[in-house]
Amino acid sequence: MTATKLLPGGTVTILCAGDAAPVVFASPEAALTALTGGPAALHTGDVLIRDDGTPTGPAVRRCEQLRALADEGRVLVSARTAAALGDAVELHDLGVHRLPDLTAPERVFQLGGTPEPLRSLDTVPNNLPVQLTGFVGRDAEVRDLRRQLAGTRLVTLAGPGGSGKTRLAAQVAASTEWPGGVWWVELDAVTEVAERVAATLGVPVEPQAGAARSVATELRDRRVLLCLDNCEHVLDGAAEVAVELLRSCPEVAVLTTSREPLGVPGETVWRVPPLAVEDAVALFVERAGAVRPLFTLDASSAAAVRSICTRLDGIPLAVELAAAWLGTLTPHQIDTGLDDRFALLTRGPRGVPARQRTLEGSLAWSHDQLGSGDRVVFRRLAVFAGGFTLDAAGGPAVLPALGRLVDKSLVLAEDGRYRLLETLREYAAARLAEAGETDAVRDRHLDHYLALAEAAEPELDRDKDAWRARIEPERDNLRAALDWGLTREDPDRGRRLAAAVAWLWNLRGRGHEGLAYLKRAVARCPDDRTPLQARLLTGMGLVADTTAPFDLEAARQGLALATELGEAGLRARCLTLTALGHLYTDLDTAWDLAVEAGKEADGFARDSALMLRGIIRTVRDRHAEAAPLLAESAEGLLRRGDRGLASTVLSVQSASALAAADLPRARELAFRAVDVAAPLGDFHRVNTTLCRLALVHCAAGDVDAGFRVLEPFLRLLETAGDVFVPGMAGVLGELHWRRGEFEEALRWFEREAVPGTYMAAQGLPERGAVLRALGRVDEAAEVLATAVELTRRWSLPSLLADALDQQGYLAEPAQAAELHYEALSLRVDHGLRLGVLASLDALTTQLARTGREADAARVWVSTSQARAELGVPRRPAAQAELDALGLATSEPPMGLDDVVAFVRRTRGTRGRPSSGWDSLTPTELEVVKLAAEGCTNPEIGTRLFMSRGTVKTHLAHVYAKLGIGNRTELATLAAARLG
């Protein structure tokens, strides 16, 4: 029935029972007497009464929403009604829940019975925005859209600005069931749709796969509704995400809002209709109540409001803007104010939908009603992208005007920030251009964000978390400021801003964008030789670390310029960045550069240099020397919130602990690394720490836990292809190996090696072991020979010991013993207790092969006890091989150090002649080879991980066995023998 009037009904208790219409009672007790059983809901609030006597208003809708949550037989009670009832009845507190109207959460009680969990919106993962006002009308539209989403997977709500697309989409999203979650992505002022979606869902972006594919991989087998709001200015990006999800995710639906369709296959375009007149009137009255609390409709005002709503064509934004003026105007004045404006606009540009012209008229009229000062503030807000603070808008001086603009619904206030809807921002921008102020206001915008960025810079060395919290929310404004500043005739401010925010691009796959800004900044003054140019080059080197790690040109140029200018701090940073660039390709050069940087640096650069030195020492298994370097570096990095590098240091410390078979510490450090990296949301940082944690789980024998840790990235890898994260391939190879999936393990180990870097040797010993297990002995021997050569060249003791051990399994007994004992010595000398266990297992097999079962049994039982105590079980295949030997002993097990001493004492004869070439051990042959190449004793010691004295001893043995007296004779014999 059409309502002519809406009269106040006072504060009452509303009862919504079953499918019956809402009924009001003077008190909660009276409502209880009318209950005949559930399902039902009770809520107390202020209502309006229509002409036909039915109640309406926000409180009635609240009760209806509560009733929708009541299961069969249950009676739910709102907090306000519960407070009024007191102890008169038995009520069970079910907690705070969000209702489908998305307004403020409600504490819900159950009347009597056995309390059960409530199936509210909170039971489904979601980030749907809290609405400050209720959703009015559109019941039929919500039902229709629910049906559309059930039958199609991409629905676009299309309509002009202000037509209510956003609010309708949110209501539909809250009214549907998606067990995998409902995720809302606001695209207002966004340029990178896929990255915003990834960030909203917490999906790390793998740069090569891209953000859209990363998201699709994460959602592939989840039943999720993704809502993309305000797509009109980023249609290509929204279409990319939608198409990727439609192709890859069979149970994901996408609901978008846009002024125009995305234009992709499979899209259902649902044109948002205007509000029905009665719904528009109800919306006007409800919004009017916010500015005139006692406003209701009498016969006179009802006619004016209906006229307003009809003339505004039922466009929700226009209705709300008109209602906002009831604080100062009557409905009749509002209606009169719109008349002339609409008459003018109907003679405006052709080809534009009538409703859009009407909204333009509403906006123009609202704008004209502002005072001159408010109009100035409004149009100047158009330069902001992605929201702004009060300080950015002008500080306390503009607060009164800003407050009035918020009251008039021209500006949105959200968690201490403000923003304009895109429709309003465009309108404001047009007014700014008309006033001839665009350049001046954009200059002030640039000045503000330059001052903000430069004021925040000191926090980079004090508290990087605080810096990120201050700068990250302004990313869109910083982009806008950079774009403006770098195009000005004098680019100085733009260049300064680019230098100040270089760290902004270091995470989340934004490196290419950051490099583009920094290169533009450098290119504007290519011959500049000032500290600013040095800062820009340093920034390029910093961003290149995560984008192009082998590109050292910017860091080198920055180093040269900083040295020329005497800028010690910049020089230290460039030295560190150059050292970082050499880390994988030249460990000695990286060490020297890091040492040099440490002499001049403080803060971040100093701790970075310490970190690099600690990593290099760890790579070369000098863990005791690495420990203090890493500890000091971690302390400084964590204190300042340098999460990226700190998580790397913690991962390296975990690796050292695992090498020492200290599983509890390795696990603790790995978990801490994950926790430190997680807030960054950066693909490489987070994945590196997760790989470390997965490897710790693997060493503990919990392969399933290792796979669970890496599961999100395994899904991404299926579609991303050749993705490089240091150590990831080796971890996955180890996991598959322990699961007995040898072919899959081999595939991953083959991906571990990175040619041209020290990681060229990584994965090779494991490849050899897996090939041996697969019976591909010749291939295994070839791979292991390469592993020994590369690990000796790069001075990598642990990997060399692994390769020697595997060669021992393929060798004849006499040579095998030499190889296994050399591997054991390397591991003992470098504190590699986890590797020592592997050596003891290899020697167990060797002793059994040579008929020394009793000794083998003593080693086996002792090593098994040590593994149990340390919590590091053997790989299942290795355990099966040892079990098959059938070893047994009544001797008690020895401690780990004792069993090492035991195998060394009982080494026995080597089964080789006492003189001639055949009498040389594998180590002696390596010494001969290096000596013949002209290496000095110290150089041989470095390559073979032994002291100068040990080298001299080996050479003395060689001379004695070959019957020669010096290096010259040795070189001659070696040339004939080895050439």
Side-chain angles (χ1 to χ4, degrees), residues 206-209 683-684 687 713 716-726 728-729 748 751:
E206 199 293 306
Q208 183 169 330
F683 176 85
H684 284 88
N687 196 21
F713 297 99
L716 180 58
L717 289 172
E718 292 178 12
T719 53
D722 188 17
V723 175
F724 172 70
V725 172
M728 180 187 66
W748 282 111
R751 292 180 58 175

Side-chain angles (χ1 to χ4, degrees), residues 622-661:
R622 296 164 68 171
H623 298 279
E625 299 172 43
L629 297 170
L630 294 171
E632 187 175 355
S633 172
E635 191 277 330
L637 293 168
L638 289 168
R639 184 179 63 251
R640 281 192 311 278
D642 271 302
R643 291 180 175 274
L645 296 187
S647 66
T648 298
V649 173
L650 291 167
S651 292
V652 173
Q653 288 178 306
S654 176
S656 282
L658 187 60

Side-chain angles (χ1 to χ4, degrees), residues 5-7 14 22 24 46-50 53-61 282 286:
K5 296 183 290 185
L6 283 173
L7 301 177
I14 308 142
V24 298
D46 298 329
V47 300
L48 297 173
I49 303 297
R50 294 191 179 101
T54 58
T56 188
V60 174
R61 285 202 311 276
E286 188 162 318

Side-chain angles (χ1 to χ4, degrees), residues 583-597:
L583 178 62
Y584 295 115
T585 57
D586 189 343
L587 291 170
D588 292 332
T589 298
W591 173 268
D592 292 341
L593 288 167
V595 170
E596 186 178 356

Side-chain angles (χ1 to χ4, degrees), residues 52 84 230 250 258 376 388-389 478 488 687-688 821 880 959 974:
D52 61 356
N230 290 321
S258 180
V376 171
F388 54 92
T389 63
L478 290 167
R488 304 300 281 160
N687 196 21
T688 299
Y821 278 109
Y959 295 160

Side-chain angles (χ1 to χ4, degrees), residues 345-368:
L345 286 174
T346 56
R347 297 192 295 272
R350 291 181 175 86
V352 178
R355 289 191 299 275
Q356 192 168 344
R357 294 199 301 269
T358 301
L359 177 60
E360 177 75 11
S362 176
L363 291 174
W365 178 80
S366 293
H367 177 262
D368 289 349

Side-chain angles (χ1 to χ4, degrees), residues 540-737:
M540 288 176 64
L542 174 72
V543 178
D545 170 37
T546 57
T547 306
F550 300 122
D551 185 357
L552 303 180
E553 186 57 30
R556 286 173 177 151
Q557 290 182 18
L559 176 59
L561 184 53
T563 302
E564 173 188 321
L565 297 170
E567 292 282 342
L570 289 176
R571 173 178 159 78
R573 291 197 175 207
C574 288
L575 280 168
T576 302
L577 291 169
T578 308
L580 188 61
H582 283 292
L583 178 62
Y584 295 115
T585 57
D586 189 343
L587 291 170
D588 292 332
T589 298
W591 173 268
D592 292 341
L593 288 167
V595 170
E596 186 178 356
K599 294 175 181 176
E600 304 182 18
D602 57 12
F604 166 77
R606 177 178 178 277
D607 291 328
S608 300
L610 285 170
M611 176 196 74
L612 286 171
R613 291 166 60 195
I615 290 174
I616 293 167
R617 285 290 186 249
T618 302
V619 166
R620 286 182 161 163
D621 290 303
R622 296 164 68 171
H623 298 279
E625 299 172 43
L629 297 170
L630 294 171
E632 187 175 355
S633 172
E635 191 277 330
L637 293 168
L638 289 168
R639 184 179 63 251
R640 281 192 311 278
D642 271 302
R643 291 180 175 274
L645 296 187
S647 66
T648 298
V649 173
L650 291 167
S651 292
V652 173
Q653 288 178 306
S654 176
S656 282
L658 187 60
D662 188 347
L663 195 62
R665 177 164 170 75
R667 183 181 290 110
E668 174 192 354
L669 288 164
F671 272 116
R672 192 177 181 200
V674 171
D675 289 342
V676 168
L680 299 176
D682 182 69
F683 176 85
H684 284 88
R685 307 275 196 220
V686 173
N687 196 21
T688 299
T689 61
L690 290 176
C691 284
R692 174 52 48 192
L693 179 58
L695 191 60
V696 172
H697 285 311
C698 190
D702 195 345
V703 176
D704 290 341
F707 274 113
R708 282 196 300 272
V709 164
L710 294 180
E711 194 272 338
F713 297 99
L714 290 175
R715 294 160 59 92
L716 180 58
L717 289 172
E718 292 178 12
T719 53
D722 188 17
V723 175
F724 172 70
V725 172
M728 180 187 66
V731 174
L732 288 168
E734 181 68 30
L735 287 167
H736 285 289
W737 190 6

